Amino acid sequence: MAKHYDESLLSDMLPIYYSRLFPQSLFCRWLTCGNYPQPLGNRELSFTLADDVYLRYLSINNQKELHTLFQKKCPYKLDIGPVYNTKPSIGRHDAVVLARELVFDIDLTDYDEIRTCCQEAKVCDKCWKFMVLACEVINTALKEDFGFQNILWVFSGRRGIHCWVSDHEARVLDSPGRTALADYMCLISGGENQYRKVHLGNDNLHSSIRRAIGIIEKYFTTILEEQEFLSTTDRLNSFLKIIPDEALRKQTHETLEKMPSSSLERWEMFVTIYNQYCKQNANAMRKMKYLVEELKIQYCYPRLDAHVTKGFNHLLKSPFSIHPKTGKVSIVFKPENAKNMKLNDIPTIHTLLDDSSKENAQHQANMRTAVKNFQEVVFMLEKTEAMRRKTEASVSIDF
Amino acid sequence: MDFKIKRKSTKSVIAGGLLETYPHDLQMYKLPPVGDISLQEFETLALERLTLLRCLATATTLKGLRLYSEEWCDFILGDLRSQGLKYYVKLCEKSGCSTQDVDLQARRKDHIAHFILRLAYCRTEELRRWFISREIELFRMRFMTMKGDSVDNFFTINNLCYTNISEEEKDELIINLRESTHHPNIDKMKFYKVKFFEVLDLVKTRKVYLKDGYAYIPHKDFISVLSAQYRVHLRQSLAIACHHLGEVEQDERLVSLLKGLHQSYTGNDYSDSKSVIPIESLDTLSIKSFPLCMRQLHEFLRSTHHLKHGGRLQYGLFLKGIGVTLEDSLKFWRQEFTKVMDLDKFEKQYSYNVRYNYGKEGSKKNYSPFNCLKIINNNVGPGECHGCPFKHSDANVLKNKLKGYGFEQQALHDVVDLAKRGHYQIACSKYFDVVQSCNIGLGINHPNQYFEESQKLLKGDIKSEPKKDIKPIIKDEINDIEEMDFDENFK
């Protein structure tokens, strides 16, 4: 992160960013496509200005109006809402929500109980791996299970990622539908009073869960070692609290605490103990047939903010907005490229506009790539939408 | 709707006609009834079906029985019998397609009554939701009790057909089908594929194999598809009924009947508290009169000076219900939150929510405090401590907590044991008895009820609150959390 980033310069830099770098035309095309058959003007946008002044129920009819609005208001934050049956400024509370992209929000603060390298607002390339893993699990599920094709992945600006699904079926999904999807994706549940947060039962594992575990296993050893999940007394205790069987817990505790602090060695020893224990105790198998998988899931599986997915009219940060605290651009990235992303490579408003900054060339290139990624998604969306509308039109209407 | 309502009773359609119109016990009410009917019968049919629907509601909200379980079925059938509603017992106990006259008559009454209640329940969104929930529960119950042949008949009569999948496709996917479908021995079952949004309840609980947007369901799981379709159909029908309400209400004889039908159903929803509770007494009250769910939230707030959204909502509405005013509420949350953040941040990000709960912002709905069912069914995530502690705590955690409160061995064991066996509200009732040092065994179904009962005891049985007026606006007992929607942006 650029050390000389100064929030007070935002009001000078943002107008330039919005007119020169923000991909206004693509933005309008993306939303227009997602609005169909409603006009672009029925989509709600919200701005947060300097001093936290919050403007809701904004909308634009075309790119020119977007540009004007940007120059006039210079928003520090830009959020996108749903499509209404009327212009949002007219309908307000009484307007009916007709459609909205299916969205997912994954934030590293929800991993605070698990990640050891950082907490709260801090983020580093080590814990970023959780996001890479989350992206792969969710992207795969959306494509393979639900058949979605128009998926946009965006860096959230500080320590998370957002996903926008623009397929028609996703856009018109109502609240119960979004809830069903969110619940399908969520495997970790339980509050402060529940240490064991994953319960896979003892029947067969659902295909999607098996697949997710396969993905987790690609990253598990690395994350385990970097995060050192089992290396300290505290962390070992947290781990032990998840084990539901007293005897197994005791045995694990006694063996592991005597071992050197390598988390990988301790983990492998635990798996050995567990397997032996289960061979000798048929009962145990019934209670915790998938304990190893449950642990992997509890430590690594995506932690979604389900509220965001379930809400039909939740306002979510726009791609390519600037995060006021970090100056970073919410860039669009390709899921297969997430693992190559380094946090310091993410362009910031400062490095983009300051020729003298040493990251300037690299960040400008990365910005261009991000815009290109966006363009590909928008183009694909326009194509699939065009095909879908043609098919619908040719279906005869019979009463 | 083609209703001609006369004062005199008129002979109904001949039996032959009945068989044609009603070939099966179970129907989806696609066509409205045609004919003449006496005002007397109109009213009787409406009231009888209302009794049936209320019985369904009681089974879940008051008795806490699990939907579609054996106990649930038994309770409903038993209640219907004791109310003398023989024809509904027949229709619910074993849906079939016999041609006996007694069955035909039952189907006719069922048909007409459903349409009458549509008129009574289309008026507001809350009434609609209540009606739809009950009718779906009824539909599923009757579908469940259908015997083999009747199911096939039902499908044929209703022109229901889905894409079969070929044997080859099934073989390719057999491993996935085996592991993802929640029935054992699926190898012999016939499979169909439907779009995922037709079977949302199976998707939600991960009980079906999904591929490319399609769900692969065995014949047995059709009920989910049908329920979803039925729900859509009902919603649309009620919207249409609402349009025509004006015409129907031209007939004065019907107006008062329809409007009065759902009256007196309201249970207490605690959305208007008449007493006032000062925030200085909250600490003591949390120990003496709060149910464990709220005590836990209060303690967590006091020690960490923050609650996440779910906790703020659950606890905030509870406080409103016991009588904390808006000004006091703001003061209370502000006092705590500003221990870990700027006053500025609190005012901008959190005070709006507090005012929102009191109906002072946004759509200005006066949200009611949650009842136990809602709280128990709530999702609780990492870092959160709302929900029902008897459900959302590991047994050890609960045990240690109660030990810390000074519970004795036996009492502790009883409560924890009840919680382990899934009897959350009875565990709460036991908790009440231990804390209040009594042995009443209350049926707890609302945290504010717990508070009131506790206060009554402490004040020596003097009522702390005057009796409420019964309002015609219904607080629907929302069984699934998915039906709760917020039209504002909670951050």
Side-chain angles (χ1 to χ4, degrees), chain A residues 108 112 115 117-124 127 158-159:
Chain A
L108 272 165
D112 277 355
R115 58 177 178 151
C117 51
C118 303
Q119 286 287 289
E120 291 177 3
K122 265 196 73 201
V123 60
C124 70
C127 48
R158 184 153 58 181
R159 47 176 196 235

Side-chain angles (χ1 to χ4, degrees), chain A residues 51-52 54 56 79 93 110 113 143-148 169 173 176-177 179-181 183-184 186-187 189-197 204-210 303 307 310 313-315, chain B residues 175-176 178-180 195-197 200 203-204 206 208-214 296 300 308-309 348 362-363 379-385 391-394 396-397 401 482 486-491:
Chain A
D51 296 332
D52 283 329
Y54 186 53
R56 260 197 85 171
D79 289 346
H93 294 303
D110 288 330
E113 67 172 11
K143 281 172 56 182
E144 291 184 14
D145 298 342
F146 294 97
F148 294 139
E169 280 169 6
L173 208 51
T179 304
L181 244 105
D183 287 347
Y184 178 86
C186 283
L187 289 178
S189 65
E192 290 283 305
N193 294 322
Q194 290 163 290
Y195 296 109
R196 185 179 178 205
K197 295 190 159 79
N204 294 321
L205 286 185
H206 190 275
S207 300
S208 65
I209 298 182
R210 231 187 349 104
R303 293 165 177 238
H307 280 309
K310 294 180 187 186
N313 43 11
H314 209 105
L315 288 146
Chain B
I175 297 180
N176 295 314
R178 273 194 207 124
E179 65 187 1
S180 307
K195 288 299 290 181
F196 75 88
F197 45 75
L200 288 177
V203 170
K204 193 179 163 91
R206 240 175 276 109
V208 66
Y209 176 59
L210 292 181
K211 183 164 177 267
D212 280 329
Y214 286 91
Q296 178 172 283
F300 196 74
K308 282 188 156 193
H309 172 65
K348 283 189 186 134
S363 50
N379 282 338
V380 181
E384 303 183 308
C385 64
K391 177 177 182 190
H392 297 114
S393 303
D394 290 341
N396 283 343
V397 174
K401 187 174 285 220
E482 70 191 29
F486 293 98
D487 52 354
E488 289 290 346
N489 181 23
F490 278 111
K491 283 223 169 111

Side-chain angles (χ1 to χ4, degrees), chain A residues 171-351:
Chain A
R171 281 183 279 127
V172 299
L173 208 51
D174 61 6
S175 199
R178 286 164 205 251
T179 304
L181 244 105
D183 287 347
Y184 178 86
M185 297 290 191
C186 283
L187 289 178
I188 302 172
S189 65
E192 290 283 305
N193 294 322
Q194 290 163 290
Y195 296 109
R196 185 179 178 205
K197 295 190 159 79
V198 184
H199 302 269
L200 297 179
N202 53 13
D203 286 328
N204 294 321
L205 286 185
H206 190 275
S207 300
S208 65
I209 298 182
R210 231 187 349 104
R211 180 188 60 214
I213 291 171
I215 298 176
I216 290 176
E217 275 165 2
K218 292 194 307 191
Y219 300 82
F220 185 67
T221 315
T222 312
I223 296 183
L224 173 63
E225 286 182 310
E226 284 184 352
Q227 295 292 319
E228 300 188 294
F229 286 138
L230 304 176
S231 302
T232 69
T233 316
D234 278 345
R235 292 180 208 158
L236 183 56
N237 284 337
S238 299
F239 173 78
L240 292 166
K241 285 199 184 122
I242 304 173
I243 301 174
D245 183 291
E246 282 267 8
L248 175 60
R249 197 186 313 142
K250 202 157 172 272
Q251 194 186 346
T252 308
H253 189 188
E254 285 166 359
T255 317
L256 260 50
E257 70 175 348
K258 294 197 196 94
M259 289 175 66
S261 61
S262 152
S263 286
L264 181 56
E265 283 176 33
R266 288 184 171 192
W267 168 261
E268 286 172 347
M269 176 57 76
F270 161 72
V271 177
T272 312
I273 296 175
Y274 164 81
N275 284 329
Q276 249 177 359
Y277 187 83
C278 284
K279 266 201 211 114
Q280 297 162 352
N281 293 291
N283 276 343
M285 266 307 260
R286 238 179 290 131
K287 245 199 304 174
M288 27 179 212
K289 183 172 177 193
Y290 296 111
L291 183 59
V292 172
E293 288 82 358
E294 286 171 357
L295 286 163
K296 287 184 176 165
I297 291 174
Q298 185 156 338
Y299 276 91
C300 294
Y301 187 87
R303 293 165 177 238
L304 309 171
D305 186 345
H307 280 309
V308 174
T309 304
K310 294 180 187 186
F312 207 179
N313 43 11
H314 209 105
L315 288 146
L316 192 62
K317 174 185 293 200
S318 169
F320 294 102
S321 39
I322 298 285
H323 194 294
K325 297 226 160 30
T326 62
K328 292 200 181 179
V329 179
S330 293
I331 49 161
V332 172
F333 63 90
K334 286 197 181 161
E336 52 269 27
N337 205 40
K339 55 180 171 299
N340 302 324
M341 271 170 67
K342 298 257 178 314
L343 291 166
N344 288 334
D345 289 343
I346 296 177
T348 73
I349 190 172
H350 182 90
T351 55

Side-chain angles (χ1 to χ4, degrees), chain B residues 195-242:
Chain B
K195 288 299 290 181
F196 75 88
F197 45 75
E198 306 265 30
V199 285
L200 288 177
D201 46 347
L202 291 177
V203 170
K204 193 179 163 91
T205 49
R206 240 175 276 109
K207 289 202 169 116
V208 66
Y209 176 59
L210 292 181
K211 183 164 177 267
D212 280 329
Y214 286 91
Y216 289 76
I217 61 172
H219 192 94
K220 277 184 174 211
D221 279 338
F222 258 117
I223 184 59
S224 301
V225 184
L226 288 178
S227 297
Q229 290 187 351
Y230 187 47
R231 182 185 289 270
V232 170
H233 165 60
L234 281 180
R235 246 199 259 276
Q236 289 171 346
S237 307
L238 287 177
I240 294 172
C242 202

Side-chain angles (χ1 to χ4, degrees), chain B residues 23 86 97 112 117 129 162 181 239 244 249 321 389 395 406 433 448 454:
Chain B
K86 287 211 197 100
C97 29
I112 297 173
L117 287 196
R129 279 202 213 159
Y162 294 90
T181 314
H244 293 296
E249 289 185 335
D433 281 346
N448 289 83
S454 164

Side-chain angles (χ1 to χ4, degrees), chain B residues 18-252:
Chain B
L18 272 186
L19 183 50
E20 245 183 78
T21 323
Y22 305 118
H24 199 293
D25 275 345
L26 182 60
Q27 62 157 302
M28 311 230 288
Y29 311 102
K30 295 258 164 80
L31 297 172
V34 173
D36 294 346
I37 179 177
S38 73
L39 196 56
Q40 173 90 7
E41 195 180 5
F42 187 90
E43 188 165 349
T44 310
L45 289 179
L47 288 172
E48 287 178 347
R49 194 180 191 83
L50 183 58
T51 307
L52 164 62
L53 297 188
R54 279 197 198 160
C55 171
L56 286 164
T58 305
T60 46
T61 57
L62 284 184
K63 296 285 167 189
L65 298 169
R66 193 166 47 90
L67 263 180
Y68 315 123
S69 66
E70 225 186 292
E71 302 86 54
W72 179 85
C73 278
D74 289 341
F75 171 78
I76 291 168
L77 293 172
D79 200 46
L80 287 175
R81 279 191 196 101
S82 69
Q83 305 259 15
L85 293 174
K86 287 211 197 100
Y87 65 100
Y88 276 128
V89 175
K90 218 179 231 309
L91 291 172
C92 294
E93 197 171 21
K94 213 170 14 193
S95 295
C97 29
S98 94
T99 53
Q100 304 280 337
D101 188 57
V102 61
D103 293 310
L104 297 176
Q105 291 300 331
R107 293 171 200 169
R108 173 187 163 270
K109 289 190 198 178
D110 170 58
H111 183 208
I112 297 173
H114 170 91
F115 274 87
I116 298 174
L117 287 196
R118 278 197 196 178
L119 293 175
Y121 280 86
C122 62
R123 192 181 303 272
T124 71
E125 178 60 30
E126 290 176 86
L127 286 174
R128 285 185 219 182
R129 279 202 213 159
W130 187 89
F131 179 70
I132 291 177
S133 295
R134 303 290 85 74
E135 286 284 340
I136 294 207
E137 284 165 14
L138 179 63
F139 179 79
R140 285 184 80 130
M141 178 190 199
R142 292 162 69 178
F143 190 93
M144 259 164 45
T145 58
M146 267 201 287
K147 292 292 168 224
D149 294 349
S150 311
V151 178
D152 286 332
N153 272 339
F154 181 76
F155 281 139
T156 317
I157 293 166
N158 286 280
N159 295 321
L160 296 167
C161 51
Y162 294 90
T163 327
N164 271 10
I165 60 167
S166 64
E167 279 305 306
E168 290 83 49
E169 194 180 353
K170 185 176 169 198
D171 285 336
E172 258 180 59
L173 302 173
I174 193 72
I175 297 180
N176 295 314
L177 293 177
R178 273 194 207 124
E179 65 187 1
S180 307
T181 314
H182 71 122
H183 297 294
N185 310 322
I186 54 112
D187 289 40
K188 295 238 163 57
M189 292 183 195
K190 220 167 167 202
F191 270 79
Y192 303 87
K193 68 180 195 190
V194 296
K195 288 299 290 181
F196 75 88
F197 45 75
E198 306 265 30
V199 285
L200 288 177
D201 46 347
L202 291 177
V203 170
K204 193 179 163 91
T205 49
R206 240 175 276 109
K207 289 202 169 116
V208 66
Y209 176 59
L210 292 181
K211 183 164 177 267
D212 280 329
Y214 286 91
Y216 289 76
I217 61 172
H219 192 94
K220 277 184 174 211
D221 279 338
F222 258 117
I223 184 59
S224 301
V225 184
L226 288 178
S227 297
Q229 290 187 351
Y230 187 47
R231 182 185 289 270
V232 170
H233 165 60
L234 281 180
R235 246 199 259 276
Q236 289 171 346
S237 307
L238 287 177
I240 294 172
C242 202
H243 271 317
H244 293 296
L245 210 49
E247 295 164 37
V248 176
E249 289 185 335
Q250 302 268 335
D251 192 327
E252 289 164 12

